[in-house]
């Protein structure tokens, strides 16, 4: 009797444990039993908004802390192969539970801990070295994904997969192929961060908050991303309308340099501190928020663009997409200039050139 | 801090002037809720990101001696400014960047090595503080300082001495984190959220912290009344082990991942919120306890303190058992033993 969990004992309707102990005073109730009585007869409901982060490196943990501080999930699971680091990170987060609104924070090497996730954020993989381009990482990270993706799918067959690891556009394609998921449930973090960096720099130039500076960077996340100058605006006022040279070589204000700073931004931070974490972590939480809260917000994220903007190959590139709790349900048809579309097609060809050599 | 090194005249001439007509011609307003974090190691950055994501300041300044790392961290945070409500994030080796701060969080210093006790760090960190503290006070003479670096109780004393600030403006993060860990672990055993378990760990942050079992309660139901043995060696349920786990937890996390940062960052943001928003919440933080509980020396230990925009506006007179008072006195003696030998403060 003493080793049965209280829950089962409460279900015996005839007599309660308290009653029994009144009859047999030698049986001592634990402090917990004296304090708390369990009254629910059914199984607990379990988590409704579970988020998993795969990879507890700097990007994974920055994503985790951003998701936690935005109160986005009722359960957070962490997975990694490095067991000590994983255990240390989960303990450190748990110790902050008093200050958070996520009651269950768990971690394991075994993917069963990720079961029933709504969103799975994949940050695992090797990171860019100083000066290394994202495309160089490919095959290293494909092999890692061949282990990770099937495990995620096994335990959360209905989840939305968000790929962050670089080169993100290729790895989102890889995740899509390996998972067998429909395309609306596989999203790459893409140029969400590039656009955020662009809007920050635009805000600095105009002395405005970035959220009031609108600008979209699409296409490949990285060196050949495409700034859509025609869309850059404040309060609907097109900046290119005020400065028709914007983004071209002849522009006396050199807005093109702003885009170059976005492209170089990651490399610069890596050179200075060894990696980037905070900005990508916050941008991941921004995307997770739209999904979990079913916001139907438009974000530039990496999705299958075959058949759009002249792209013929099965590749993933960033365009403005509507995100909600079903995943990536709609895309926005941007009106692009011919040379902007040409850049997208060129990126697609480059990516396809790499993708077709991969063994999946 | 614009990252674009074009002459302002070129930028101003076209788009900006056509787009925007200024109304107020006065110079920019100074910040009202500026927070500075000294030290951009793992703890400093965890404090920074927690403060930013909780929307606690309108300006954040970072200071460190490692210039590349400092610039990289600042840029990484700035790149996320779209997602934040802190419009100015600055950083420099020179403390001029910290001017007019309401709150300064000091995390600088060397960290505990695996197995190293907090007290061993002392003299190493005192020398670092002699460079830092006068600079802080020079540029923010009216600020409140939160000291996080270990050993926190000694270093809060050192900061108080070096700063010349009144004692209610110098706070040590103290047992705020120990109490948070305690509440989490106790709550886990009971199946409830940490905030629903009320328990205080006071005194020295670390090995000799004091769990006040007489105050532990859920919904006002005192646990010691339900279990008079609670916290003693004779307790069959071994609740004392939970406090031991709290003491060991920092060492354990350090052993597993090399350092701790997330929990301390969150706990500092919690203190920051009470101060910046003038909340008058009670937190266990390290304050000057001379003349309380029979302590005769100028030492800092954690007691329940009311925190608001004045800093530590008052201290709650905790009813402690003789044993608990004895433990506080013993900690005070140990701390004074170290403090009296410190040079040049």
């Amino acid at each position: 009797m003493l080793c049965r969990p209280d829950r089962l004992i409460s279900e015996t309707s005839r007599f309660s444990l308290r009653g029994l102990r009144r009859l047999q005073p030698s049986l001592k109730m634990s402090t917990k039993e004296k304090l708390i009585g369990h009254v629910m007869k059914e199984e607990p409901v379990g988590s409704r908004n579970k988020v998993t982060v795969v990879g507890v490196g700097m990007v994974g943990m920055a994503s985790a802390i951003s998701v936690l501080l935005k109160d986005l999930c009722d359960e957070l699971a962490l997975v990694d192969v490095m067991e000590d680091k994983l255990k240390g990170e989960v303990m450190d987060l748990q110790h902050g539970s008093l200050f958070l609104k996520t009651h269950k924070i768990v971690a394991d090497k075994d993917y069963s801990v990720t079961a029933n996730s709504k969103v799975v954020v994949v940050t695992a993989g090797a990171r860019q070295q100083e000066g290394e381009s994202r495309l160089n990482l490919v095959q290293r990270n494909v092999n890692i994904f061949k282990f990770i993706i099937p495990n995620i799918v096994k335990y959360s067959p209905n989840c939305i997969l968000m790929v962050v690891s670089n080169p993100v556009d290729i790895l989102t394609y890889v995740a899509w192929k390996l998972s067998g998921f429909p395309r609306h449930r596989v999203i790459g973090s893409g140029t969400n961060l590039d656009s955020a960096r662009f809007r920050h720099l635009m805000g600095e130039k105009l002395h405005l908050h970035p959220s009031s500076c609108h600008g979209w960077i699409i296409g490949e996340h990285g060196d050949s991303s495409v700034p859509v100058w025609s869309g850059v605006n404040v309060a609907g006022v097109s900046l290119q309308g005020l400065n028709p040279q914007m983004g071209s070589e002849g522009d006396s204000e050199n807005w093109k340099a702003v885009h170059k700073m976005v492209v170089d931004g990651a490399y610069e931070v890596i050179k200075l501190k060894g990696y980037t974490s905070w900005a990508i972590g916050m941008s991941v939480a921004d995307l997770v928020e739209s999904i979990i809260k079913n916001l139907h917000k438009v974000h530039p994220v990496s999705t299958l663009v075959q058949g759009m903007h002249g792209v013929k190959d099965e590749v993933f590139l960033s365009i403005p997409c509507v995100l909600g709790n079903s995943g990536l349900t709609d895309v926005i048809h941007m009106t692009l200039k011919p040379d902007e579309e040409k850049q997208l097609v060129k990126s697609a060809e480059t990516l396809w050139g790499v993708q077709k050599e991969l063994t999946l | 801090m614009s990252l674009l090194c074009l002459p302002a005249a070129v930028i101003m001439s076209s788009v900006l002037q056509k787009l925007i007509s200024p109304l107020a011609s006065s110079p920019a307003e100074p910040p009202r809720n500026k927070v500075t974090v000294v030290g951009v190691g793992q703890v400093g950055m965890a404090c920074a990101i927690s403060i930013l994501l909780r929307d606690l300041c309108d300006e954040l300044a970072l200071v460190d001696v490692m210039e590349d790392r400092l610039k990289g961290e600042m840029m990484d945070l700035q790149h996320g400014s779209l997602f934040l409500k802190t419009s100015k994030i600055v950083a420099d080796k020179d403390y001029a960047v910290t001017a007019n701060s309401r709150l300064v969080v000091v995390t600088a210093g060397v960290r505990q090595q695996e197995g190293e006790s907090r007290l061993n760090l002392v003299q190493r960190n005192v020398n670092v503080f002699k460079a830092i503290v006068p600079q802080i006070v020079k540029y923010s003479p009216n600020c409140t300082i939160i000291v996080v670096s270990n050993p926190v109780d000694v270093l809060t004393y050192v900061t108080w001495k070096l700063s010349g600030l009144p004692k209610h403006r110098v706070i040590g993060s103290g047992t705020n984190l120990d109490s948070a860990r305690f509440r989490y672990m106790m709550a886990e055993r009971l199946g409830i959220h940490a905030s629903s378990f009320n328990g205080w760990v006071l005194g020295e942050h670390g090995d000799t912290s004091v769990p006040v079992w007489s105050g532990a309660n859920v919904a006002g139901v005192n646990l010691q009344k339900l279990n008079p043995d609670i916290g003693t060696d004779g307790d069959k349920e071994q609740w004392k082990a939970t406090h031991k786990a709290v003491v060991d937890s920092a060492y354990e996390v350090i052993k597993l991942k090399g350092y701790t940062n997330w929990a301390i960052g969150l706990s500092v943001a919690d203190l920051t919120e009470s101060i910046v928003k003038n909340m008058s919440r009670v937190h266990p933080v390290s304050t000057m306890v001379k003349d309380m509980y029979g302590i005769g020396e100028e030492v800092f230990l954690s007691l329940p303190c009311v925190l608001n925009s004045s800093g530590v506006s008052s201290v709650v007179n905790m009813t402690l058992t003789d044993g608990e008072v004895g433990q506080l006195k013993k900690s005070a003696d140990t701390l004074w033993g170290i403090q009296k030998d410190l040079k040049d403060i």
Side-chain angles (χ1 to χ4, degrees):
Chain A
M1 181 74 86
L2 283 171
C3 20
R4 269 161 62 181
D6 297 347
R7 176 158 57 87
L8 289 177
I9 292 167
S10 299
E11 285 178 279
T12 9
S13 50
R14 279 270 154 184
F15 48 86
S16 68
L17 187 61
R18 278 175 198 264
L20 188 69
R21 282 173 175 157
R22 257 181 255 122
L23 297 172
Q24 297 186 8
S26 58
L27 280 175
K28 271 207 71 170
M29 279 172 86
S30 70
T31 311
K32 179 176 175 177
E33 286 163 343
K34 288 184 208 171
L35 180 69
I36 299 175
H38 192 83
V39 298
M40 180 173 79
K41 293 186 170 54
E42 296 160 6
E43 287 297 310
V45 164
S47 303
R48 292 174 190 261
N49 280 318
K50 179 171 173 174
V51 173
T52 287
V53 176
V54 181
V56 296
M58 293 301 180
V59 173
M61 290 313 295
S63 303
I65 195 73
S66 301
V67 165
L68 286 171
L69 276 162
K70 285 172 71 86
D71 297 338
L72 297 180
C73 59
D74 55 6
E75 183 176 342
L76 180 78
L78 304 176
V79 201
D80 201 301
V81 292
M82 298 178 64
E83 292 180 85
D84 278 359
K85 168 98 166 142
L86 180 65
K87 185 168 180 212
E89 292 290 2
V90 79
M91 280 177 74
D92 205 359
L93 291 179
Q94 287 170 339
H95 291 165
S97 292
L98 174 62
F99 311 110
L100 297 170
K101 297 202 170 124
T102 301
H103 185 57
K104 204 168 167 194
I105 301 174
V106 292
D108 206 303
K109 198 171 76 160
D110 188 317
Y111 278 75
S112 56
V113 77
T114 71
N116 301 315
S117 298
K118 282 277 185 300
V119 181
V120 178
V121 180
V122 184
T123 73
R127 68 160 90 119
Q128 277 166 268
Q129 299 304 307
E130 189 188 324
E132 186 185 17
S133 84
R134 290 174 182 89
L135 285 174
N136 276 353
L137 295 177
V138 182
Q139 194 61 57
R140 289 201 275 164
N141 282 339
V142 168
N143 297 334
I144 292 172
F145 271 45
K146 283 196 217 174
F147 171 72
I148 290 175
I149 304 293
N151 267 305
I152 293 172
V153 172
K154 173 178 175 188
Y155 290 101
S156 305
N158 301 313
C159 75
I160 292 161
L161 261 178
M162 185 175 312
V163 180
V164 184
S165 324
N166 273 318
V168 66
D169 302 298
I170 294 179
L171 290 178
T172 309
Y173 166 83
V174 170
W176 175 57
K177 283 288 181 196
L178 291 173
S179 63
F181 278 3
R183 49 82 58 90
H184 67 270
R185 288 202 280 121
V186 185
I187 305 166
S189 61
T191 56
N192 197 44
L193 177 54
D194 309 52
S195 300
R197 283 180 174 134
F198 181 81
R199 294 170 72 180
H200 157 68
L201 293 171
M202 192 177 153
E204 289 275 296
K205 264 172 100 89
L206 301 174
H207 310 295
L208 299 172
H209 192 270
S211 61
S212 295
C213 298
H214 302 283
W216 292 81
I217 297 197
I218 60 170
E220 189 196 342
H221 168 60
D223 299 350
S224 57
S225 61
V226 180
V228 182
W229 299 110
S230 57
V232 176
N233 74 89
V234 173
V237 179
S238 161
L239 263 58
Q240 197 174 45
L242 299 177
N243 173 8
Q245 297 300 316
M246 190 185 212
S248 69
E249 294 297 336
D251 176 16
S252 60
E253 292 182 329
N254 203 359
W255 279 88
K256 200 168 163 141
V258 177
H259 176 244
K260 184 169 195 314
M261 285 173 76
V262 172
V263 168
D264 293 343
Y267 297 114
E268 242 213 286
V269 175
I270 290 171
K271 197 164 132 196
L272 292 167
K273 66 175 252 196
Y275 54 90
T276 88
S277 58
W278 305 121
I280 181 66
M282 288 191 266
S283 90
V284 164
D286 182 50
L287 299 174
V288 170
E289 183 181 36
S290 288
I291 295 169
I292 294 270
K293 293 185 184 177
N294 196 24
L295 292 181
H296 289 74
K297 222 165 124 173
V298 183
H299 297 268
V301 286
S302 196
T303 188
L304 184 64
V305 292
Q306 190 179 35
M308 296 182 225
H309 300 295
V311 173
K312 302 243 181 334
D313 305 306
E314 217 178 40
V315 294
F316 280 65
L317 289 172
S318 289
I319 51 174
C321 303
V322 182
L323 297 186
N325 62 8
S326 305
L328 194 156
T329 54
D330 305 86
V331 300
I332 306 295
H333 295 306
M334 289 185 103
T335 314
L336 299 178
K337 301 244 161 52
D339 68 282
E340 286 163 345
E341 293 215 324
K342 224 165 72 176
Q343 284 179 270
L344 287 185
V345 171
K346 188 151 174 276
S347 289
E349 286 166 1
T350 310
L351 294 178
W352 184 247
V354 176
Q355 278 171 208
K356 68 187 205 305
E357 307 295 336
L358 299 173
T359 31
L360 289 179
Chain B
M1 267 180 89
S2 177
L3 303 163
L4 206 58
C5 31
L6 280 178
V10 178
I11 301 165
M12 289 297 281
S13 61
S14 192
V15 162
L16 186 53
Q17 280 182 333
K18 287 184 206 171
L19 182 68
I20 296 174
S21 303
L23 240 50
S25 52
S26 52
E29 295 263 321
R32 294 170 192 233
N33 288 316
K34 179 170 173 175
V35 175
T36 288
V37 176
V38 180
V40 296
Q42 299 294 346
V43 172
M45 290 313 296
C47 293
I49 195 73
S50 302
I51 288 169
L52 286 171
L53 282 166
R54 288 240 186 270
D55 298 336
L56 296 179
C57 59
D58 56 2
E59 183 175 333
L60 179 78
L62 304 174
V63 201
D64 202 302
V65 293
M66 299 179 63
E67 293 180 83
D68 278 359
R69 175 90 179 261
L70 180 65
K71 188 176 176 198
E73 293 289 3
M74 176 197 72
M75 283 177 73
D76 206 0
L77 291 178
Q78 286 174 338
H79 289 168
S81 53
L82 171 63
F83 311 112
L84 297 170
K85 294 188 176 144
T86 301
S87 54
K88 201 169 169 191
I89 299 172
V90 293
D92 206 306
K93 199 171 73 163
D94 187 323
Y95 278 76
V97 79
T98 70
N100 300 313
S101 297
R102 266 193 84 172
L103 187 66
V104 178
V105 178
V106 182
T107 73
V110 278
R111 67 162 93 121
Q112 271 165 274
Q113 298 303 308
E114 189 187 324
E116 186 184 17
S117 83
R118 290 177 180 90
L119 287 173
N120 277 353
L121 295 177
V122 182
Q123 192 66 52
R124 290 203 278 165
N125 278 337
V126 168
N127 297 332
V128 174
F129 274 48
K130 288 202 292 219
I132 290 174
V133 178
Q135 289 286 302
I136 293 172
V137 176
K138 173 179 172 186
Y139 288 102
S140 306
N142 299 315
C143 74
T144 300
I145 302 182
I146 298 182
V147 180
V148 184
S149 323
N150 272 317
V152 67
D153 302 299
V154 176
L155 290 177
T156 311
Y157 166 81
V158 169
T159 305
W160 175 55
K161 280 288 186 198
L162 289 172
S163 66
L165 290 175
K167 61 186 181 179
H168 64 271
R169 290 223 174 265
V170 182
I171 304 165
S173 62
T175 57
N176 196 42
L177 178 54
D178 309 52
S179 297
R181 285 178 172 140
F182 182 68
R183 293 173 70 178
Y184 161 69
M185 292 177 184
M186 294 291 286
E188 276 286 288
R189 275 183 80 161
L190 298 172
I192 58 178
H193 191 265
S195 62
S196 295
F197 179 88
N198 300 299
W200 294 81
V201 177
L202 303 177
E204 191 195 340
H205 168 60
D207 301 349
T208 51
S209 60
V210 181
V212 182
W213 293 107
S214 56
N217 73 88
V218 174
V221 179
N222 187 299
L223 261 63
Q224 198 173 50
K225 291 220 168 59
L226 296 182
N227 175 2
D229 292 330
I230 201 170
T232 65
D233 291 321
D235 173 22
K236 289 193 187 60
E237 293 171 36
Q238 278 297 294
W239 286 95
K240 192 173 173 162
T242 310
H243 175 248
K244 184 171 191 317
V246 169
V247 168
D248 292 343
S249 55
Y251 298 115
E252 244 211 282
V253 175
I254 290 172
K255 198 163 128 196
L256 292 166
K257 66 177 247 198
Y259 54 89
T260 88
N261 65 333
W262 303 121
I264 182 67
L266 290 167
S267 78
V268 166
D270 188 50
L271 299 176
T272 301
E273 187 179 29
S274 286
I275 294 169
V276 163
K277 293 186 184 177
N278 197 24
M279 288 176 82
S280 297
R281 280 192 300 184
V282 185
H283 298 266
V285 288
S286 198
T287 188
M288 225 284 281
V289 297
K290 178 162 180 267
D291 299 329
M292 292 184 225
Y293 303 104
I295 292 169
E297 297 95 6
E298 276 179 348
V299 294
F300 279 69
L301 288 172
S302 289
L303 290 177
C305 296
V306 179
L307 294 186
N308 54 36
S309 26
S310 317
V312 182
S313 69
S314 30
V315 176
V316 172
N317 296 321
M318 197 87 172
T319 29
L320 300 173
T321 65
D322 292 338
E324 288 158 350
V325 172
Q327 283 179 274
L328 286 186
K329 281 216 187 106
K330 190 151 170 269
S331 288
D333 290 339
T334 310
L335 293 173
W336 187 247
I338 296 169
Q339 282 170 205
K340 69 188 201 314
D341 293 329
L342 292 174
K343 302 195 183 349
D344 314 317
I345 49 170

